[in-house]
Amino acid sequence: MLKRLIRTDDGVGIVTALAVSFIVFALGATWYSLSVHELDEVTFDRHRTAAINAAEAGAREVMHLLAEDVTRSGDPSGFRTMADLSSADFGTDGSGECEVETLQTADGDDAGEYWARATKTGDRKYLIEAWGWGPDTSSRQVVNKKVSFEVELVPLGGFRHALFAADGGLQAGNRKEIYGDAFSGSNMVISNYTRVFRNDPGYPGIGNVTVAKDLIITSGSNPQIDGSVFVNGYIQDDKVGTNYLADVVARHSNPASPYTKSYFRKATIGGTLYFRTATGSLQAGSNVTGTVVYNANAYDQPFPNIALPAFTWNPSEYGPIGGVPSLAAVGSNTWPSWASFQTWYSANKTNLRGAHYVNGGGTLDLGGAYLTNHFLLATSDNLTLKGTAAGAAPALAPATVTLVVDNPNKRLTIAQSSNSIPNKVHHLIVSEGEFDASQQTTIYGSIYGKKDISQQRLEIHFRPPVDAITTGFTFDPNLADKFIPQPGVWREVGVSDPVSLSTYCTIPS
């Protein structure tokens, strides 16, 4: 029997079938193992992304709580007020438990959980730390990530524009380069090479332009505006190829305007064009990336016409700044004449500091000056600035030179290439009357005035001033207590404990 089977092929099919089945099942097991492994890897990557996104969402929530000073359950005061008053960990619900928030997608699945806190590190500065879990703290494949950055709250009611002209209007008749936001409380007329750019990295201002009345761009100009344009009145753009990189809004609300509709001559608009009424036209050849919206009800309310900050001289208000000597600690600060101030200045220009008010006006030459503290000079008459300071004490830098013309009928003039030093000396220039850049000028800081009559090139990079320098100014009461958060560098940081936050608080079960 056995010999016969060996000599024939009876039963080979069964053996072959069994062998093939073994191979198929072995391959299937291998494929299944590989598939499960790959699925786990994909799931891990998805959870890792969810954890990062959740942590970032938590950080942004804390930015909102700080900026708005939101009062929450368990907090006797607003979130920012509590953070300012105590060094305790914030982000708890008042009972010591972490405030882990569940973020959900549209279909209801968990997209991540986060817990975040804010710790005050300086004047209006806070360290935000946010932990995120993907998809949640109890998942089998939970992934924990942490992000951290420092945020500074910039007061909306303070100096937040690079270039600000009140009811006299902003006349861009010379070559202007504005890095930050611009505001005109009357008509804004652009008749030469004028650019409004997003501010330098790390500083507020995205190139927005707000105009309380009409925006007029003549055919001889060459403008570009990086941010959005908000105009209460009409826009008359007669320049071929004006480049608007974001949204443009014309509300058509200026009773004193000679125009009855807005007009664009072959403009390029990188966002949406809004007309609050049914009027408005674009010449053929214009290019709008978004859409053109007529009767835009979202803009029924006018854009705020912000008042020029008012200045009041009170030398007793100028106290110590960050450990350096008091601004008031330089002897008498009120000078009866420009000559008396000039005598002090000549003897102290290499040790420049303090707050000073001069009954009179003259020319301040900063050439060779060295700042050992912030310096404020207010005058009751015309003031001319010339020269560039030599620098400032390293521990103080950047120091701020604040110049104020405290008279609506006088003028502050920048002459003879008076420039800032980016990382050493900034300028805050405020004129209750006119301001005039009569020579090519580069300023790191802010320029505010009733009216811009500048005749030469002005380049300005917005830098928000320190709080002590804003002492004496009264800001628009509708905006003074509101803040915008300006974040620094965002970074992912290591988490030593991948799940538990027991070091900080107890995670709810």
Side-chain angles (χ1 to χ4, degrees), residues 297-444:
N297 294 329
Y299 294 101
D300 280 346
Q301 297 301 314
F303 305 115
N305 190 356
I306 307 170
L308 182 70
F311 179 77
T312 302
W313 171 248
N314 185 352
S316 64
E317 293 183 355
Y318 296 94
I321 304 174
V324 298
S326 168
L327 280 179
V330 294
S332 175
N333 299 104
T334 304
W335 305 94
S337 66
W338 183 261
S340 61
F341 166 75
Q342 189 64 42
T343 299
W344 177 90
Y345 178 75
S346 298
N348 291 275
K349 68 181 302 181
T350 57
N351 182 23
L352 192 57
R353 77 274 185 213
H356 308 264
Y357 191 96
V358 182
N359 288 301
T363 298
L364 175 69
D365 186 354
L366 283 179
Y370 186 84
L371 285 91
T372 55
N373 201 323
H374 303 290
F375 172 71
L376 181 146
L377 173 64
T379 68
S380 62
D381 209 327
N382 295 323
L383 176 63
T384 298
L385 169 67
K386 71 175 185 178
T388 300
L396 176 67
T400 300
V401 173
T402 301
L403 303 177
V404 183
V405 168
D406 187 26
N407 188 328
N409 299 313
K410 300 300 179 178
R411 179 185 302 172
L412 196 156
T413 302
I414 308 171
Q416 295 189 13
S417 300
S418 301
N419 298 317
S420 301
I421 308 176
N423 298 317
K424 295 182 179 180
V425 180
H426 294 169
H427 285 76
L428 172 61
I429 295 173
V430 182
S431 175
E432 294 184 1
E434 299 173 335
F435 66 82
D436 176 18
S438 64
Q439 296 291 334
Q440 181 172 324
T441 302
T442 300
I443 294 294
Y444 286 79

Side-chain angles (χ1 to χ4, degrees), residues 10 80 82 143 162 199-200 206 210 252 297 305 317 338 390 501 509:
D10 293 348
R80 184 176 69 248
M82 292 290 290
V143 178
N199 201 7
D200 307 316
I206 60 174
T210 303
H252 295 170
N297 294 329
N305 190 356
E317 293 183 355
W338 183 261
L501 281 175
S509 58

Side-chain angles (χ1 to χ4, degrees), residues 108-190:
D109 294 334
D110 288 347
E113 292 181 352
Y114 68 74
W115 181 75
R117 69 175 181 179
T119 305
K120 188 173 184 180
T121 59
D123 186 24
R124 293 205 308 261
K125 293 183 178 180
Y126 303 85
L127 174 66
I128 295 179
E129 299 169 283
W131 291 260
W133 292 266
D136 55 58
T137 56
S138 60
S139 172
R140 179 180 65 85
Q141 291 183 313
V142 61
V143 178
N144 183 214
K145 292 290 183 179
K146 178 184 176 183
V147 299
S148 174
F149 58 82
E150 191 173 78
V151 64
E152 180 177 4
L153 299 182
V154 178
L156 284 175
F159 297 103
R160 62 185 177 105
H161 292 89
L163 190 60
F164 179 103
D167 53 356
L170 201 162
Q171 310 297 317
N174 62 328
R175 181 186 176 105
K176 280 188 171 69
E177 289 188 12
I178 303 167
Y179 294 82
D181 299 335
F183 177 88
S184 177
S186 185
N187 293 338
M188 179 174 178
V189 181
I190 298 176

Side-chain angles (χ1 to χ4, degrees), residues 54-70 72 79-80 83 90-92 99 101 114-120 126-131 147 149 151 153 485:
E56 184 176 0
R60 293 188 179 279
E61 172 66 11
V62 171
M63 288 170 60
H64 164 72
L65 294 173
L66 287 170
E68 300 294 332
D69 201 18
V70 176
R72 305 169 307 145
F79 188 86
R80 184 176 69 248
F90 291 91
T92 67
E99 204 170 32
E101 301 287 348
Y114 68 74
W115 181 75
R117 69 175 181 179
T119 305
K120 188 173 184 180
Y126 303 85
L127 174 66
I128 295 179
E129 299 169 283
W131 291 260
V147 299
F149 58 82
V151 64
L153 299 182

Side-chain angles (χ1 to χ4, degrees), residues 218-258:
T218 68
S219 59
S221 58
N222 186 19
Q224 173 178 313
I225 301 175
D226 281 3
S228 296
V229 176
F230 307 101
V231 179
N232 275 332
Y234 300 87
I235 299 176
Q236 290 291 301
D237 186 352
D238 200 38
K239 168 63 181 176
V240 174
T242 298
N243 195 6
Y244 305 89
L245 272 63
D247 293 345
V248 177
V249 182
R251 293 190 62 258
H252 295 170
S253 179
N254 179 11
S257 176

